[in-house]
Amino acid sequence: MEHITLLLAIVVVTALVFDFTNGFHDTANAMATTISTGAMRPKAAVAMSAVLNLVGAFLSVEVAKTISGGIINEEGIRTEVIFAALVGAILWNLLTWLLGLPSSSSHALFGGLIGAAVMSAGFSAVNGGTIVTKVLIPAVAAPLVAGLAALVATRLTYRIGGTTENKATSKGYRAGQIASAGLVSLAHGTNDAQKTMGVITLALVTGGVLAPGSNPPMWVIVSAGVAIALGTYLGGWRIIRTMGKGLTDLQPQQGFAAQTSAATVILASSNLGFSLSTTQSCSGAVMGAGLGRKGGVVRWSTATRMFVAWGLTLPAAGLVAAAAEFLTKQGTWGIAAVAVLLVAGSGAIWVISRRKPVDHTNVTDDEIEPAGVITAAIAAVTPPPAGVVGTSVTEPEAPKATVPAQASESTPAPAATV
């Protein structure tokens, strides 16, 4: 009994660590466009997002029930399986954070659960129907729906405000961005914080503490909400840079359209119990907003790397979790070995990240790749939007159009804010 109690405590702590990494990994979902357009200062933006993530964690438990009683069969699953699943999810989160890739923390968790469960009890331990209807279909549909909605919203926004002076409208849209970013943060709390609640609840069920089908206890809801809020406050600055400036150059109008579209999709899915990827929804919305403005382009080389990461997330996290589960099946020494490997791997990734740190002081710096051939060609033949003067609408080379006397001294600076 003491062993079970200790193992449950380890699993709960590991789940909260995953929740923490989920927070800083996904801060970009809510705040990348707000920061990149200058609507809010970086530290203020992540602080607001953290508070609203915490609030959102208390609004619903539908997604938590999908995790705790839907993805895998509770019967016959040992507590060690949950531990192994979390190890796979955490390591994949940290690796993609190091690379600045906005991959899905949700799919990392699902992949970990599936891989560990299959290694432990075979394919019968996985509910294939639930995975298809509540994981795979939303994974494909969410970024497409959010992207299309953002594209249409962006075009309508520019058409409605096309005759209005750009400076006047930009100020209003920056205020709208703050509100829509808050909505995304709230939606993120209702969806992603619940995933950790579901995992902890599943661990408590496998350990015999809760009956199958139970809702998350209040202490689970509070701890998961606090963990994701703390992670959000730290800010995943590498991913914020990719989302805010690496995919496309956004103006306040586009940022507002992207965030509003993403928040709508996330809140609707949370209400239905669909455990979709908030990262994919927000990324799709950003790309849709980039394509919705005349002269706006998407950097498809960056987007392609992101798509590859999305495709690898489920199998990669699953393989790591399966290997971890293989070790935990060996007994106490195997569980200890997995814990050591988790700490060592996390520490190595952190040390590597310190070689070229990204934080709130340099998150808007323009260290992005040059335009590809296709992007440059599209930008060259596409006229800028009506009423926009002196604004970069293609790639970082655009500042060459500024006053010649200042060009050599301030070439990188104009693109730092939109």
Side-chain angles (χ1 to χ4, degrees):
M1 188 65 179
E2 292 181 0
H3 173 70
I4 294 296
T5 302
L6 176 61
L7 183 57
L8 274 175
I10 292 173
V11 170
V12 169
V13 171
T14 307
L16 293 177
V17 171
F18 166 77
D19 204 23
F20 180 81
T21 66
N22 191 353
F24 73 72
H25 196 281
D26 290 1
T27 307
N29 295 345
M31 291 302 168
T33 60
T34 304
I35 292 171
S36 68
T37 60
M40 290 188 73
R41 294 181 180 275
K43 293 295 287 185
V46 296
M48 184 184 82
S49 183
V51 172
L52 291 173
N53 262 281
L54 178 60
V55 173
F58 291 89
L59 297 184
S60 171
V61 294
E62 292 301 317
V63 174
K65 289 190 289 186
T66 297
I67 300 294
S68 62
I71 300 295
I72 61 176
N73 296 317
E74 298 168 344
E75 296 82 6
I77 294 297
R78 301 173 303 117
T79 307
E80 290 91 332
V81 173
I82 313 301
F83 178 53
L86 290 167
V87 169
I90 290 171
L91 290 177
W92 182 256
N93 263 3
L94 292 176
L95 178 61
T96 50
W97 162 77
L98 177 66
L99 299 174
L101 293 174
S103 69
S104 172
S105 297
S106 306
H107 289 176
L109 179 59
F110 300 150
L113 285 171
I114 294 169
V118 169
M119 174 59 70
S120 175
F123 286 97
S124 61
V126 178
N127 293 322
T130 302
I131 293 173
V132 171
T133 57
K134 293 200 171 185
V135 177
L136 297 181
I137 291 178
V140 175
L144 294 176
V145 172
L148 181 61
L151 187 151
V152 172
T154 300
R155 291 191 175 179
L156 286 175
T157 296
Y158 277 109
R159 177 165 296 187
I160 293 172
T163 59
T164 309
E165 185 183 356
N166 189 54
K167 290 184 178 180
T169 58
S170 292
K171 184 176 181 180
Y173 279 114
R174 283 192 173 95
Q177 267 195 282
I178 295 174
S180 61
L183 188 60
V184 174
S185 297
L186 193 69
H188 185 260
T190 65
N191 200 283
D192 278 41
Q194 289 186 54
K195 291 161 189 170
T196 300
M197 297 178 205
V199 168
I200 296 176
T201 303
L202 180 60
L204 295 175
V205 169
T206 61
V209 178
L210 293 177
S214 299
N215 285 338
M218 181 55 66
W219 69 267
V220 172
I221 297 174
V222 172
S223 59
V226 170
I228 199 169
L230 288 174
T232 300
Y233 180 70
L234 285 183
W237 303 112
R238 293 172 181 272
I239 301 175
I240 288 176
R241 172 181 286 180
T242 300
M243 286 275 283
K245 304 194 77 64
L247 279 174
T248 185
D249 293 318
L250 293 177
Q251 295 179 348
Q253 293 93 324
Q254 295 167 280
F256 175 72
Q259 289 172 322
T260 304
S261 302
T264 302
V265 171
I266 296 168
L267 286 172
S269 69
S270 295
N271 186 57
L272 295 172
F274 290 157
S275 187
L276 88 170
S277 166
T278 55
T279 299
Q280 293 180 4
S281 300
C282 293
S283 299
V286 168
M287 286 187 283
L291 294 174
R293 172 169 61 90
K294 289 184 179 180
V297 293
V298 172
R299 297 182 179 93
W300 292 110
S301 55
T302 300
T304 300
R305 291 199 302 272
M306 187 175 67
F307 295 152
V308 171
W310 290 0
L312 290 176
T313 296
L314 271 170
L319 287 173
V320 174
E325 169 57 14
F326 177 78
L327 286 175
T328 63
K329 290 170 69 174
Q330 311 307 313
T332 303
W333 74 266
I335 297 174
V338 170
V340 170
L341 290 173
L342 174 62
V343 173
S346 302
I349 291 173
W350 184 84
V351 169
I352 294 172
S353 73
R354 294 300 88 197
R355 295 176 181 176
K356 194 175 182 181
V358 179
D359 55 27
H360 67 282
T361 63
N362 62 358
V363 67
T364 56
D365 290 351
D366 280 322
E367 293 185 11
I368 52 180
E369 60 190 284
V373 175
I374 296 177
T375 296
I378 293 175
V381 300
T382 307
V388 179
V389 179
T391 303
S392 172
V393 297
T394 56
E395 300 290 338
E397 287 84 354
K400 293 178 181 178
T402 56
V403 180
Q406 299 177 348
S408 61
E409 299 177 359
S410 58
T411 299
T417 56
V418 178

